[in-house]
Amino acid sequence: MDFPERIETGMQRALRYATANGCPPILAKALRHAVFPGGARIRPRLCLAVAAACGDREPLAADSAAVAIELLHCASLVHDDMPCFDNAMTRRGAPSVHAQFGEEIALLVGDGLIIAAFETVARETQQTPLLTAPMIATIANAVGSPYGLVAGQAWESEPEINIAAYHRAKTASLFSGAVSTGAIASGGNPREWLVLADALGAAYQVADDLYDAVGQSDAGKPAGQDSRNGKPNIVASIGLEAALVRLKRLVAEAVDSVPDCPGADGFRAMIRNEATRLMPKTLATSAA
C-alpha cells in the first residue's frame, strides 16, 4: 500500500474501535466527523516517509505511529475550534465539531481521539513490544507539557507570548513526534531528524499565518482569525515580505537537513513538492 492508503486504512481501523457497539451514537458520529474526510495528512505522511527512508523495518509499528499522530492532530483541531479558543464555525470546508454537535460533545471528541491515539500504538505494536514504550513516550512528549501541543495552546493564555516557544510547541512539536516515531519504528536514530522537524514545523506555522493574513485558508476554516482573537501572527510581527523570505529559508533548511539514508533523495523531493502547496496562490508569484 502507498502512504495515503496505509494512513486511511489505519484511521478507519482506529475509528472502528473507538465507535464500536456501545459507543453513544452522537459521540460516534462526531468522532467520525472530526476525522473524515481528512486534510492533507502531512504529519502521518511525514512519519511514514521517515520510516521508509530508514528501511521501513516494522511497517505496522510505523502505521500505528502515523495514525496516532494524525488522531492527535485532529483532536487539537477540534479543541482549537471551540468557543474558548478560536470559536471557528468551519473546518475542512464543513461545520466544526462544536458547531455541528455542541461544545460538550466537541470536548469529549477531542478527549476520545487523544485516548484512541495511544490505544492504537499499544494495540498495533503487540508484536513489536520493544517499540511500544519509546513510541508512546515520544508521542506523549510531542503533545504534552512543557514543550508539546498542550503547552503551545497554553501560551495563548499568557499575558506575554514567547512567539518562538509558542510556534515550536503548537506546530513543530507534532512534526518532531512524527519524524521521531517514524525513525524509531524502523531502527533509525530519531535525533538525526529533529532539525528537519523543527524547520518543517516552523514553515507550516509561517504558511498558516500567511494564509490567515491574506484572507485565504488552506484548511477550510475562516481566515483572519489571528487578528480577531488577538493571537500571535508572524506576518503581523515582521511583515509580509519578510514572512515569505522566512518560509523559503525554512523549506531550504528542511531539505538540507535530511540525513544521509537510502531514501534521502526521494524525501528531499517530497519536501520540495510539499513546499509548493504551502504557498498561498496569491503570493506564489512574488515568492518565486
Side-chain angles (χ1 to χ4, degrees), residues 2-288:
D2 59 13
F3 292 168
E5 187 175 355
R6 286 171 66 175
I7 292 163
E8 295 310 314
T9 297
M11 297 293 285
Q12 290 284 359
R13 179 175 170 83
L15 265 291
R16 282 198 299 272
Y17 278 96
T19 62
N21 289 340
C23 181
I26 294 176
L27 176 62
K29 188 174 182 180
L31 283 163
R32 289 198 163 272
H33 182 87
V35 174
F36 304 113
R41 307 290 202 211
I42 178 60
R43 293 156 190 82
R45 286 196 290 118
L46 183 61
C47 177
L48 294 184
V50 171
C54 294
D56 209 12
R57 297 181 186 178
E58 298 291 348
L60 293 180
D63 288 355
S64 75
V67 169
I69 291 290
E70 183 65 8
L71 288 171
L72 290 162
H73 175 57
C74 291
S76 75
L77 300 182
V78 173
H79 283 168
D80 200 36
D81 287 342
M82 291 182 66
C84 59
F85 290 113
D86 285 358
N87 196 24
M89 300 305 289
T90 58
R91 171 67 66 177
R92 293 171 174 165
S96 58
V97 175
H98 79 86
Q100 183 81 11
F101 298 96
E103 291 182 48
E104 295 90 347
I105 289 293
L107 179 64
L108 294 172
V109 164
D111 293 346
L113 292 175
I114 293 168
I115 300 302
F118 290 101
E119 180 189 12
T120 295
V121 175
R123 182 182 62 245
E124 303 296 335
T125 58
Q126 292 184 55
Q127 302 305 313
T128 51
L130 293 180
L131 295 177
T132 307
M135 287 175 62
I136 285 179
T138 299
I139 293 170
N141 185 63
V143 296
S145 180
Y147 304 119
L149 273 176
V150 171
Q153 197 73 47
W155 271 112
E156 296 180 1
S157 298
E158 292 291 328
E160 294 185 10
I161 299 176
N162 180 327
I163 194 166
Y166 168 67
H167 284 168
R168 189 179 305 112
K170 189 169 184 182
T171 305
S173 64
L174 206 53
F175 281 83
S176 296
V179 301
S180 296
T181 51
I184 290 169
S186 294
N189 182 354
R191 293 184 178 276
E192 293 181 350
W193 297 87
L194 292 181
V195 173
L196 166 72
D198 283 346
L200 272 183
Y204 268 82
Q205 184 61 59
V206 172
D208 190 63
D209 286 358
L210 282 165
Y211 274 102
D212 188 86
V214 301
Q216 297 180 12
S217 172
D218 66 337
K221 62 179 181 178
Q225 295 220 120
D226 290 344
S227 177
R228 285 194 296 272
N229 295 323
K231 302 290 179 64
N233 183 294
I234 196 67
V235 179
S237 298
I238 66 175
L240 184 62
E241 291 302 320
L244 286 168
V245 170
R246 180 172 295 189
L247 177 57
K248 292 174 64 178
R249 176 178 59 78
L250 287 166
V251 170
E253 183 179 332
V255 171
D256 291 342
S257 68
V258 175
D260 290 333
C261 58
D265 289 341
F267 200 99
R268 293 186 184 104
M270 186 192 81
I271 294 174
R272 292 189 185 97
N273 290 336
E274 188 63 28
T276 302
R277 194 187 68 81
L278 282 179
M279 185 66 62
K281 292 182 176 61
T282 58
L283 302 177
T285 301
S286 61

